[in-house]
Every structure is written in structure tokens, then in C-alpha cells.
Amino acid sequence: MRRWTALLLTLALLLVSGCQKEAERSSLPKLELHREEEKDYLLLEGVRYNRVSTETVDNRYAGCWRFAGETGEAVASVEKMTLYTVAGDEEKAFLWGIQEGWAPGPFQQALFLREDRSLALPQSGEEFDLGTLSTYQGSGLFGKKPVVTWQSDDPEILTALFDAWDTGEETPLPKDREDRERRSLDLRGASCPWLAFRLECSRYEENGPIYFSDMGGRRTVIPEETAAALTWEEPSLWERLTG
């Protein structure tokens, strides 16, 4: 009986929370998404914000910027998204859009950038100040959270990793990818710490080479001396619990 009572109370709280969010969203200014020369933009208080291209920010994990910070205050709504400022962005140059509630199709997130600013793919490792290697979130109802296996702010290592991805020779991925281990390498932007440049890393055999891989079916080997600086093995549950 107590379990059912707790469940009903949880559902009631979720319903109230959802209603509160919807009420808060309804009080926000409603903006329209405009399109010019195949580019989307919006106007907030007379200032234009351009939607950043999916070639620069998306979820392919193959060498793209991704949002890795915290949202600030809600400032407007556009279509199915609520627009937020970005914590730490005192200039309010970035706006982060998050789809609220359920809607058909893929979950939508969008980054908008003030028209006097630009965001491009990084050109050197000097644009990063922190690297983090972590497992991917497990699937299923009780999927585990990502586990960090390595982290470093050494500029030489960060530059070596970026150069390995940027200048490495690409080779086809093996047809059988079932046995590979995967990690995500996030390189945090030095000037915009709420952005991380994500690269996917893979390994196909124990103590074997580590590769950068992409959705196009290609891989780039990380030089042995650079890969040796990474901690690939996931710590045991006991180590994670005891620190």
C-alpha cells in the first residue's frame, strides 16, 4: 500500500511540475523562427540570433561542438522550444533552445548565436583547456551514467589529441563492430567553457590501438605515444564508490 501511495504522490508531483513549467513557458515572449538564404534566425528584443549550423553543432560525435554547460534564465519560446541564456555567458551571445514536453520526431535542441559573433570548427588544440574521456550512458531503464576514465588540462596532450584527429590518415572501420569499446573525448573550449568539442574513440582489442571514428565508417589511429597518456580502462564499481 505504501508503495502505491508513494507512486501516486510521485506522479502527482510530476503533473504539478509539468503544469508549472507550462505556465512559466506561456508567460514568456513568443518568437518566430525566420529563414533567410537557407539559414534560420530569430529576433530577441531587436537583436538577431542565428541558428548555428548542424555541421558545427550536432550529435554525430564525429568532431562537432556540443553544449556541455548549464542553462541560465528562460527568456523566450519559439515553436516547441524554450530559449535559455547560458550560465557564464555574461555577454548573452549564446541562446540554448530545449524542446519542452513530448513531440513527434527526434528530441530537438538548438544553439543560437548573436549575429556579431561566429562559431566555427576548431583549428588547433590551443582552443581547448580541458580534455575528458568517458564512457557512454548505458541504455535501458536502469542504464548507468557515464563514467570518466581520464581527464587532463595539459596543453601538450590536448594539442596532440586534436592534431591526431585533424591530420591523421583515415582508414575504413572493420565490418564487425560488435566487440568494440567506445569512449567519448570531450575537449572543452577555452573561451567558451560551456561548449565541448566531442570526438568518438574506439578500441577493438584489449591493449590494442585507440582510434577516432565517425558515423561515415572511417577511423583514424591515435599515435601510440599520445594514446598512452589516456586512461582507457573503466574503474571498478568499488573504486567508484570509494573514490
Side-chain angles (χ1 to χ4, degrees):
M1 183 65 182
R2 290 180 179 177
R3 293 176 61 185
W4 283 107
T5 301
L7 178 60
L8 291 174
L9 179 60
T10 300
L11 292 174
L13 290 174
L14 290 174
L15 180 61
V16 171
S17 176
C19 293
Q20 288 176 339
K21 285 186 177 181
E22 187 58 35
E24 293 171 359
R25 188 172 187 272
S26 64
S27 65
L28 295 173
K30 293 180 174 57
L31 308 180
E32 292 185 8
L33 197 61
H34 305 282
R35 192 165 182 83
E36 180 181 81
E37 297 180 355
E38 299 185 355
K39 295 182 179 180
D40 294 333
Y41 71 94
L42 52 86
L43 297 173
L44 177 63
E45 298 178 350
V47 178
R48 174 167 170 164
Y49 285 81
N50 298 315
R51 186 168 185 169
V52 178
S53 169
T54 56
E55 295 177 358
T56 308
V57 178
D58 66 11
N59 62 353
R60 294 178 299 169
Y61 305 155
C64 296
W65 290 109
R66 60 183 291 271
F67 184 71
E70 297 181 357
T71 56
E73 62 176 333
V75 293
S77 64
V78 55
E79 297 183 345
K80 297 289 186 179
M81 291 186 293
T82 299
L83 293 176
Y84 295 87
T85 59
V86 175
D89 177 23
E90 297 180 358
E91 299 180 0
K92 293 186 177 180
F94 292 81
L95 294 177
W96 183 245
I98 302 178
Q99 178 179 292
E100 302 288 2
W102 183 88
F107 185 78
Q108 294 184 4
Q109 296 178 332
L111 182 66
F112 293 88
L113 192 58
R114 203 173 60 204
E115 63 177 339
D116 62 335
R117 297 286 296 273
S118 61
L119 178 66
L121 295 179
Q123 300 300 309
S124 76
E126 296 179 355
E127 299 184 39
F128 312 114
D129 64 0
L130 183 69
T132 302
L133 187 69
S134 58
T135 63
Y136 283 97
Q137 183 172 351
S139 59
L141 182 61
F142 300 103
K144 67 180 181 180
K145 295 181 179 180
V147 176
V148 173
T149 62
W150 171 86
Q151 193 171 72
S152 175
D153 59 0
D154 187 328
E156 292 187 5
I157 295 177
L158 301 182
T159 297
L161 286 169
F162 179 78
D163 288 346
W165 172 80
D166 188 43
T167 61
E169 182 178 350
E170 295 181 347
T171 59
L173 284 172
K175 293 183 179 180
D176 184 9
R177 309 183 198 176
E178 296 300 322
D179 295 332
R180 69 171 174 167
E181 292 182 84
R182 297 167 62 240
R183 302 282 187 273
S184 62
L185 176 65
D186 287 332
L187 302 175
R188 188 178 68 182
S191 60
C192 300
W194 50 86
L195 294 178
F197 193 67
R198 170 162 287 188
L199 299 166
E200 181 181 281
C201 297
S202 300
R203 192 174 70 175
Y204 297 85
E205 56 186 27
E206 187 175 356
N207 299 322
I210 299 177
Y211 299 90
F212 291 125
S213 54
D214 65 20
M215 297 295 288
R218 296 178 298 274
R219 63 178 179 175
T220 300
V221 65
I222 302 177
E224 185 175 351
E225 60 274 17
T226 302
L230 302 175
T231 304
W232 182 267
E233 298 300 332
E234 182 178 347
S236 66
L237 177 59
W238 175 252
E239 290 175 311
R240 297 201 299 271
L241 290 174
T242 59

